[in-house]
């Protein structure tokens, strides 16, 4: 007997009931098939020794499928989901930060200052040459011959122009980079010492210039044995002394074997090895040792280039941490105090020394940041670690007075447990970016956060900050074909032998669902786990 389809206004209540049962059975079969597919994928030889976790829910948080969803994993950059949602909820999408340059001392009219000029960091993460707002690669204008590269120090240069326009000609004092808005905690707990050389492990500072990194390009000579060419961007100020005595051009087809090395605390960057005559230039971004000092050096050189005499030196001003308790103890105490509404300032605040007779404090220049939402887009799309760390400190500055990482984590913890409703044992963060090897989170906590976010007035804007499959950000090369291309909005995460992918997915039914896939302890030096992860996501889409 032919069965009637499960649709149409003519169906009787009996048929409707029968169809409902049929659809429920179909759904159960699909979920059973999904469980079988996932288990088959994670049992393959290349990934079977890894630890896998999967959680899938409806948009309202109703569970659809889980495998080890209550177990803890290193989230890597999936931690940014927690940081950016907390930031947009507590600070607001339109929040801006104003960097100021002030002179303090005795002014003679507008032309002379006996005293220091200080650039006061406000935690603006985008004092750089980056294009804002973020554009998908397909939407970026094509470069034409003769296009000038964007100056990575353009905003600092604009402030130097403001100072020059004021008529100041002599600064009889120092140029100071002040990042005391946050305690000087350049490296969060368990950041790898190997990462400190590179831009993604650059120190965290309230005064961030060009993502606290310097670009270097190494180009081979014409013939084997020739000296190589090294180009630094920006060229000024000269921050590192480069020792390239062990670097040379190798023969054709010998490949790129250039190595970079710098000891923590050193201003000597050693580059050694070989680069073949036919090799492409080696482009690297090297972390700046002390961002506030670098900002002061850059401003000093800019002022001098504009005809302003500076008699003193460039130096940094930091706020050293004063909290004697450990990170976890601090953050838990802040979380408890925040939940009770009894949060007090727990970090000593630096105060300006009183002005002496005849002294004054005069603002010489300022720069207002882009709105917070634009920075969240950069943070999530390209997984920018320093920006996420700055967000965590900004949360602490606004809500816990001191601006420390532990305070920021405490505020985040209180928010996630009291507002989002997460189990406090389902997550533990030591930073805002996920670069810390101590960070832990469960897939179910991640999907619960993603479900909660859909109920918020800022959700549509925040969702757009996530990388889009096959389209942009860190997913530009993944999910390049239908049906997942342009139908996946998710945050990636990679750290050592841990990987994660969590977000929103338009499934085969046309409905949007939430998923989190995490893997730990996968086989080193392979992408088999990433390929398996992408197949799991495809299976989730097909089964729903």
């Amino acid at each position: 007997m032919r069965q009637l389809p499960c649709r149409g206004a003519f169906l009787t209540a009996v048929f409707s009931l029968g169809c409902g049962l049929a659809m429920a059975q179909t759904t159960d079969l699909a979920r059973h098939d999904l469980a079988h597919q996932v288990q088959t994928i994670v049992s393959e030889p290349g990934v079977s020794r890894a630890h896998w976790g999967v959680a899938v829910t409806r948009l309202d948080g109703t569970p659809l499928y889980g495998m080890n969803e209550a177990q803890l994993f290193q989230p890597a950059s999936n931690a940014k989901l927690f940081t950016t949602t907390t930031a947009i909820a507590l600070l607001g999408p339109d929040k801006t930060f104003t960097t100021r340059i002030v002179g303090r001392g005795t002014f003679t009219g507008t032309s002379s200052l006996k005293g220091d000029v200080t650039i006061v960091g406000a935690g603006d993460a985008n004092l750089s040459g980056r294009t804002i707002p973020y554009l998908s690669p397909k939407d970026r204008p094509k470069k034409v011959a003769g296009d000038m590269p964007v100056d990575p120090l353009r905003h600092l240069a604009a402030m130097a122009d403001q100072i020059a326009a004021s008529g100041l000609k002599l600064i009889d004092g120092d140029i100071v980079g002040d990042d005391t808005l946050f305690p000087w905690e350049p490296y969060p707990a368990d950041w790898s010492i190997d990462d400190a050389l590179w831009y993604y492990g650059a120190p965290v500072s309230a005064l961030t210039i060009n993502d606290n990194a310097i670009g270097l390009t190494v180009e081979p000579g014409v013939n084997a044995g020739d000296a190589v060419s090294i180009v630094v961007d920006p060229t000024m100020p000269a921050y590192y002394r480069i020792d390239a005595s062990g670097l040379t051009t190798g023969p054709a087809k010998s490949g790129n074997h250039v190595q970079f090395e710098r000891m923590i605390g050193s201003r000597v960057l050693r580059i050694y090895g070989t680069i073949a005559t036919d090799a492409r230039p080696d482009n690297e971004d090297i972390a700046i040792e002390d961002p506030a000092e670098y900002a002061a050096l850059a401003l000093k050189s800019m002022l001098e280039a504009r005809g302003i005499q500076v008699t003193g030196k460039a130096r940094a001003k930091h706020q050293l941490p004063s909290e004697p308790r450990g990170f976890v103890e601090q953050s838990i105490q802040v979380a408890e105090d925040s939940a009770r509404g009894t949060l007090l300032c727990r970090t000593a605040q630096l105060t300006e020394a009183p002005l002496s007779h005849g002294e004054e404090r005069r603002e010489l220049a300022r720069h207002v940041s882009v709105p917070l939402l634009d920075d969240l887009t950069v943070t999530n799309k390209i997984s920018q670690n320093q920006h996420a760390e700055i967000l965590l400190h900004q949360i602490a500055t606004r809500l816990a007075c001191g601006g420390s990482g532990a305070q920021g984590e405490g505020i985040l913890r209180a928010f996630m447990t009291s507002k989002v409703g997460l189990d406090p044992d389902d997550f533990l963060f030591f930073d805002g970016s996920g670069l810390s090897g101590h960070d832990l989170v469960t897939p179910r906590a991640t999907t619960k956060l993603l479900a909660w976010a859909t109920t918020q007035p800022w959700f549509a804007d925040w969702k757009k900050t996530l990388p889009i499959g096959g389209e942009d950000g860190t997913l530009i090369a993944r999910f390049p074909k239908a049906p997942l291309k342009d139908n996946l909005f998710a945050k990636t995460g990679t750290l050592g032998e841990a990987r994660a992918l969590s977000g929103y997915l338009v499934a085969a039914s046309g409905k949007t669902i939430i998923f989190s896939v995490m893997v730990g302890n996968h086989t080193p030096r392979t992408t088999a786990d990433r390929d398996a992860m992408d197949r799991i996501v495809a299976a989730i889409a097909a089964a729903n």
Side-chain angles (χ1 to χ4, degrees), residues 57-68:
T57 75
R58 294 192 177 98
L59 281 181
D60 64 3
T62 302
L64 294 173
Y65 171 73
M67 181 184 73
N68 298 331

Side-chain angles (χ1 to χ4, degrees), residues 45-62:
V47 298
S48 61
R49 292 192 292 176
H51 178 46
W52 288 90
V54 182
V56 185
T57 75
R58 294 192 177 98
L59 281 181
D60 64 3
T62 302

Side-chain angles (χ1 to χ4, degrees), residues 417-441:
T417 54
S418 63
K419 300 298 183 182
V420 182
L422 300 190
D423 183 332
D425 290 331
D426 269 6
F427 67 99
L428 180 64
F429 295 114
F430 285 76
D431 66 357
S433 65
L435 196 59
S436 172
H438 289 333
D439 293 340
L440 293 170
V441 70

Side-chain angles (χ1 to χ4, degrees), residues 350-415:
L350 293 184
T351 57
E352 285 281 338
L355 294 171
S356 302
H357 178 71
E359 283 190 329
E360 61 177 301
R361 192 173 187 269
R362 186 181 299 179
E363 183 177 293
L364 304 174
R366 64 165 50 196
H367 173 80
V368 180
S369 74
V370 298
L372 181 76
L373 182 62
D374 285 324
D375 183 55
L376 298 186
T377 303
V378 171
T379 303
N380 281 332
K381 290 285 189 186
I382 69 172
S383 207
Q384 223 297 337
N385 292 331
Q386 280 66 42
H387 291 216
E389 299 305 333
I390 289 170
L391 288 170
L392 190 68
H393 285 273
Q394 291 285 21
I395 291 166
T397 300
R398 268 64 192 175
L399 300 168
C401 308
S404 72
Q407 289 174 322
E409 164 53 21
I411 296 295
L412 184 149
R413 169 163 286 274
F415 184 78

Side-chain angles (χ1 to χ4, degrees), residues 192-279:
S192 172
I193 194 170
D194 297 338
D195 295 334
L197 175 64
W198 311 104
Y199 73 95
Y200 53 82
V204 181
S205 171
L207 183 51
T208 289
I209 305 293
N210 195 36
D211 294 337
N212 295 340
I214 298 169
L216 270 82
T217 301
V218 177
E219 296 189 36
V222 176
N223 301 304
D226 286 353
V228 301
S229 169
I230 300 176
V231 178
V232 181
D233 182 31
T235 57
M236 292 295 291
Y239 189 72
Y240 288 125
R241 180 173 70 82
I242 298 176
D243 175 6
S245 57
L247 180 63
T248 188
T249 302
K253 299 183 179 180
S254 62
N256 178 354
H257 303 284
V258 177
Q259 298 293 324
F260 295 79
E261 182 181 272
R262 183 182 67 82
M263 301 298 291
I264 296 294
S266 171
R267 292 277 290 275
V268 177
L269 178 65
R270 181 172 172 248
I271 311 176
Y272 60 96
T274 61
I275 182 169
T277 56
D278 57 350

